[in-house]
Amino acid sequence: MKPKTLLSLIALFTCTTVAQAVPPKAPKLVVAILVDQLRYDYLERFHSQFVDGGFRELTDKGAFMTFAQYNYYPTITAPGHASFFSGSPPMMHGVISNDWFDKRSGEMMYCVEDDGVKGVGTDAKEGQRSPRNFIGATVADQMRLHWGSKVVGISVKDRGAILPAGKKPTGAYWFEAASGNFITSSYYKTELPAWVKAFNDSKRPDAFVGQTWERLLDEKQYPVPDEAAGEGHLAGEKGSTFPHKVIKEEAEGYEPILSTPFGNQLLAEFAKAAIEGEGLGQGEKPDLLCVSFSSIDYCGHKFGPYSQEVQDITLRLDRQLKELFAYLDKKVGMANVVMVLTADHAVAPTPENAKEQGLDGERPPVVDLLVELQGKVAERFGPGRYFMLPKGSLKPKLVDGNLYYDHAVLETNKVQPDALTAFIREWALSTGVFHAVYGRDQLLEGRAPGVIGQRITNGFNGERSGDVVMILKPWMIAGTGKPATGTTHGSPFSYDTHVPVIFYGAPFKAGRYADEFSITDLAPTLSAGLGIQEPPMCMGKPLVRVLK
């Protein structure tokens, strides 16, 4: 090889290496949007009724993960908000559910409760909130460490505002239903910023009280009946059909707003106020806004995923997102914005709807079954209360599948935990209600087989989880109420685990990707796109195929 040719190749290789080493250009603003209870199929079923500039702006111009799954159990709001931005499952970050039984105190622990702080903007306990129960960090923390970014988390739910925003954001704000105000805690601020006070002073929630929620489109555009078996109703109503009127109740305050499209509208307006008030996206370094829209979740619990109400509230959120994106384009420029959109979980159909479709929907009386179990355990192993009970309770409690043993009673009666677990497993499987039962040692040692077993393992935290985890069969929802209505989520099955994940902006290649993608892959993929370190307890990996 001639020397000149060799030198040319070396120069070419050097230039290529340098070009590849240059980190991606930083955006001005990152917006993380989480839509509570947004099933993946909503973006497919309702796509033809979406407008340009809303969901289509993301699905058509972003990198759309069409087979994204939650890879742990339970699929509940708090773990979802803690996992999607940390890249770690409950096994690691410790937020195993919205509430769990605290074995030290013998009481229930709420995911973001913190008696060591005070409410700001309120004197109520709803202000005593912080991320102290969350172990680890999120993309928000990594952006702060890398750029010194401003970080703001907002939601009508405290856990929705707090958990994605990480350990030391500029602020986190949530809605207090009693007052109709957005509040925070002394963990973040000693007083509300002027822009939050101004928003609260506008009394925006009052404008929604008394309003009527009508269908957005002609009734013929809704393929399901307006009233179906298993549907619930809004506060103050007796029926489950359109139109719906927003009322304010003494017991619930402004909370009835949240089950309607007006709840999402309220938060979208607060998001604009946050961008204005904090000057997000206006500096030399990227800032972050975490927004968690909750009204589809409130609505979905009452009416189910195959209802006119859920279709309508999703269509209306589409229009609300269009308005928010137009504002972002004017304020920051969409070319300077990176976005990610996902959900914290999906949802099951109502059992009644499932049965109509030939599925196995049912509302088993789980509380009664546990009382029966308590008696059978005493018969087999001797008298005693073998399960830890929350203070004031006389009945065993299954906390998102977790049952906690009273090890003092086991020791007194000389009962080995494994023997009790084996007995419970055989009893549970004989009822026809439970799909599987997993013991503590089995999960800690990684001996739970199959995809479902791995999801249970990923959600099991050695410090906070129970001694046995009991999984209901598909489409089974614990019976509550008389008559029981509505639906819920939490299972390890695909109707609860399959959610949309969309990356949008300059770092990502637009397209539809049916790759295997776990929710714990979101944080490292976004981090790689931004050119920053992934969160420290991240167990996922970036999907390189979507990166420019």
Side-chain angles (χ1 to χ4, degrees), residues 146-169:
H146 191 89
W147 287 303
S149 304
K150 290 182 182 179
V151 175
V152 176
I154 64 171
S155 177
V156 296
K157 293 183 178 180
D158 48 16
R159 53 193 182 271
I162 290 170
L163 293 169
K167 291 298 183 68
K168 200 174 181 181

Side-chain angles (χ1 to χ4, degrees), residues 383-394:
R385 287 187 175 172
Y386 290 83
F387 308 123
M388 297 186 75
L389 311 178
K391 289 182 179 179
S393 175
L394 298 176

